[in-house]
Amino acid sequence: MCVCVCVCVCVLQCCRSAAVCLCSSARRGLSCNGWSGTIMAVEFEGGVVIGADSRTTTGAYIANRVTDKLTPIHERIFCCRSGSAADTQAIADAVTYQLGFHSIELDEAPLVQTAASLFREMCYRYREELMAGIIVAGWDPRRGGQVYTVPVGGMMTRQPVSVGGSGSSYIYGYVDSNYRAGMSKEECLKFTAEALTLAMERDGSSGGVVRLAVVSEQGVERQVILGNQLPKFSTV
Amino acid sequence: MATVSVCQYHSGGFSFENCKRNALLEADINKLGFSSPAARKTGTTICGVVYKDGVVLGADTRATEGMVVADKNCSKIHYISPNIYCCGAGTAADTEMTTQIISSNLELHSLSTGRLPRVTTANRMLKQMLFRYQGYIGAALVLGGVDCNGPHLYSIYPHGSTDKLPYVTMGSGSLAAMAVFEDRYRPNMEEEEAKRLVRDAIAAGIFNDLGSGSNIDLCVITKGKVDYLRPHDMANKKGVRTGSYRYKHGTTGVLTKAVTPLNLEVVEESVQTMDTS
């Protein structure tokens, strides 16, 4: 057991200044609860389509087969969580608080870029302690639908389409070849559902149901595609 | 000609085949900078289920210290607030202290707000504390209760992640219990059916996991009422010996008898009364 019991990683509410105690080799192995999955977000004219699988694993055991990895950060801003469940839940809670406070101060809807920046600040500052791959996606009146990816390490960049999680490795080819700029909402939904299905087929850490959400000016529409309703590809 | 495959019959007893290899590994492993893996059994089966009117929590009652049973009838369902209870798996001290701390904080919070505490508040307090300690507090919890928004059930892991689900299991016997749940869970069950389901899930853990055992405790939480059933089911009652194995006097024949008196003289005699004030 580590000598330093209390690791003051204050990624929690209201603590901007935090003392970071670097414990010896905080290697987040597969033994801790919550690992990866597959997440995806696509921009389209008027909003974004986000999707995720629903599997949380503790080693070889599926701790939760119906996880909701699409977490609302604000009314029209979502984040897709991949990596350690504990880390991403704590970060998302902290950013939700910070963004809510910021939005009240501003007295208007926050920008997606602001939310992504908050995620980046936290993920970069505590990069040694955290294992979190996050995609921030949403709609704001200034720039419309936006997708920002904040992978492990704390980089932030805006992309028209972004995939993440352990299952994403298997679908880069599919995404690169099938993505076209200017797709409609329905095409984006179909594209996301198919990409996630392919990732879930091949990746052991991904599976369960496909959760989709469309975030636009009108609001948020959520849907679930159950296991038997997933698109079928020929498996040789 | 058919090949004759000889079935290697196990001659019984411990197989010493790997001992030499293990000894070599033990010796070398420290040189390489690693430590041999510690077999840390959590030794518990806890579970919870949401039914029509509320939540049923269940737990076994065995506390283990390595391979020895330290407590045959310990209580794993902890009080958080009048409408919220929490089952704890993992390090017994950690679950005990964590639930007590959050229970105390929640009572203060409840007095401050003037309302009955909500399950989601307890969940948030627990997850934030466990995340702060980065998994070093080995407490895996099943938190359940009924508040103004209905019945809620959460599973909380030592690193601070939580899941809100209709049925959850934790502990070393969680896989056995989850198998029972996955087979027989239905949404909106009646109370008796829910209690039977939880009882069977814990029983599966008790009889199929070495780390879980003894009795089954149940806690049924509904709006305005809590039934703490301890024990709900004494699944492992100690058996009664069928016969007496004492030998009669004179069974062993006496060959010789030699008596040596030890002469002891009393040197000093003092009395110290215990302070019972």
Side-chain angles (χ1 to χ4, degrees):
Chain A
M1 277 288 152
C2 184
V3 172
C4 176
V5 172
C6 184
V7 179
C8 311
V9 181
C10 284
V11 292
L12 308 171
Q13 299 183 7
C14 83
C15 203
R16 299 279 163 80
S17 61
V20 174
C21 181
L22 289 165
C23 268
S24 57
S25 62
R27 275 203 76 235
R28 206 78 30 118
L30 283 158
S31 55
C32 81
N33 171 251
W35 185 256
S36 275
T38 316
I39 52 175
M40 183 166 164
V42 188
E43 282 177 20
F44 70 93
E45 183 68 46
V48 289
V49 168
I50 53 176
D53 75 307
S54 69
R55 183 174 286 186
T56 319
T57 53
T58 327
Y61 179 66
I62 299 170
N64 188 354
R65 59 180 169 83
V66 286
T67 328
D68 185 7
K69 302 184 189 182
L70 308 175
T71 311
I73 300 295
H74 204 258
E75 218 181 304
R76 284 180 179 74
I77 305 175
F78 271 69
C79 80
C80 310
R81 303 181 288 110
S82 76
S84 159
D87 290 349
T88 53
Q89 282 182 14
I91 297 169
D93 286 346
V95 172
T96 307
Y97 162 78
Q98 292 172 352
L99 198 67
F101 192 85
H102 169 74
S103 166
I104 287 172
E105 281 186 320
L106 235 56
D107 198 23
E108 65 180 48
L111 300 175
V112 186
Q113 187 180 12
T114 315
S117 267
L118 287 168
F119 271 108
R120 182 263 310 272
E121 269 303 298
M122 202 161 283
C123 290
Y124 181 71
R125 184 174 299 231
Y126 300 109
R127 54 182 297 169
E128 303 300 327
E129 285 76 35
L130 296 172
M131 187 64 80
I134 293 172
I135 299 177
V136 186
W139 182 92
D140 64 35
R142 198 182 293 187
R143 294 196 193 117
Q146 300 145 74
V147 170
Y148 293 88
T149 182
V150 182
V152 172
M155 163 185 105
M156 178 185 86
T157 183
R158 182 176 172 186
Q159 292 177 321
V161 62
S162 185
V163 291
S166 60
S168 64
S169 333
Y170 305 99
I171 52 172
Y172 278 110
Y174 180 83
V175 169
D176 287 342
S177 60
N178 285 61
Y179 173 73
R180 292 165 293 111
M183 285 196 285
S184 70
K185 182 178 89 170
E186 283 68 32
E187 287 175 318
C188 283
L189 280 165
K190 184 162 171 288
F191 172 55
T192 310
E194 290 185 345
L196 289 170
T197 304
L198 287 166
M200 281 154 61
E201 281 291 305
R202 287 293 178 177
D203 180 33
S205 308
S206 308
V209 303
V210 169
R211 291 195 188 272
L212 295 167
V214 181
V215 186
S216 63
E217 187 178 359
Q218 286 76 41
V220 179
E221 302 162 30
R222 300 199 65 149
Q223 54 176 270
V224 179
I225 305 180
L226 299 178
N228 57 344
Q229 299 160 348
L230 292 171
K232 291 188 181 18
F233 298 93
S234 69
T235 42
V236 187
Chain B
M1 188 171 73
T3 51
V4 180
S5 56
V6 178
C7 198
Q8 196 88 24
Y9 285 108
H10 201 238
S11 52
F14 189 77
S15 164
F16 291 88
E17 277 174 81
N18 284 330
C19 286
K20 199 167 173 189
R21 176 207 76 175
N22 289 349
L24 284 168
L25 281 173
E26 278 284 320
D28 286 343
I29 208 163
N30 290 317
K31 279 189 230 146
L32 291 165
F34 300 109
S35 57
S36 45
R40 195 154 139 298
K41 220 123 213 238
T42 52
T44 302
T45 311
I46 52 173
C47 67
V49 89
V50 173
Y51 74 102
K52 199 177 79 175
D53 307 318
V55 161
V56 180
L57 301 174
D60 73 306
T61 59
R62 175 180 287 182
T64 52
E65 213 173 279
M67 281 287 124
V68 178
V69 175
D71 190 346
K72 287 184 276 191
N73 196 203
C74 76
S75 167
K76 299 187 189 181
I77 307 183
H78 309 282
Y79 168 88
I80 300 276
S81 81
N83 58 326
I84 304 171
Y85 278 74
C86 184
C87 309
T91 312
D94 288 345
T95 59
E96 190 72 44
M97 293 315 300
T98 305
T99 48
Q100 280 178 3
I101 289 170
I102 264 66
S103 169
S104 164
N105 289 348
L106 202 63
E107 186 171 348
L108 291 169
H109 184 263
S110 164
L111 287 165
S112 168
T113 59
R115 297 172 165 86
L116 199 68
R118 302 188 190 187
V119 190
T120 188
T121 315
N123 175 53
R124 202 155 260 241
M125 288 177 168
L126 284 161
K127 73 146 57 171
Q128 285 180 353
M129 179 181 168
L130 291 173
F131 184 77
R132 199 170 354 124
Y133 286 93
Q134 288 288 292
Y136 284 103
I137 293 186
L141 309 165
V142 167
L143 175 77
V146 179
D147 57 27
C148 56
N149 291 335
H152 303 280
L153 187 66
Y154 293 88
S155 66
I156 306 168
Y157 290 85
H159 281 267
S161 62
T162 64
D163 292 307
K164 187 175 191 307
L165 293 163
Y167 54 95
V168 293
T169 64
M170 295 285 248
S172 59
S174 64
L175 268 69
M178 185 52 89
V180 175
F181 275 161
E182 288 285 23
D183 185 31
R184 283 160 44 186
Y185 170 82
R186 292 180 307 107
N188 288 50
M189 285 183 287
E190 294 299 327
E191 180 171 326
E192 280 313 307
E193 192 188 345
K195 280 164 71 174
R196 245 197 325 271
L197 181 62
V198 172
R199 186 249 154 233
D200 288 345
I202 301 291
I206 285 173
F207 292 115
N208 298 92
D209 173 46
L210 297 177
S212 311
S214 296
N215 312 324
I216 299 167
D217 287 352
L218 238 61
C219 185
V220 184
I221 310 171
T222 49
K223 197 166 184 68
K225 188 166 79 96
V226 172
D227 274 330
Y228 195 92
L229 305 160
R230 181 175 150 78
H232 171 73
D233 193 333
M234 302 199 79
N236 289 289
K237 251 212 187 81
K238 191 168 180 175
V240 178
R241 279 207 199 115
T242 48
S244 173
Y245 301 99
R246 296 190 129 249
Y247 288 98
K248 286 203 310 276
H249 273 290
T251 308
T252 315
V254 179
L255 294 177
T256 51
K257 190 165 150 183
V259 178
T260 316
L262 291 170
N263 294 314
L264 301 168
E265 46 181 276
V266 179
V267 175
E268 193 198 316
E269 194 176 307
S270 66
V271 176
Q272 270 186 329
T273 48
M274 189 170 77
D275 185 14
T276 53
S277 57

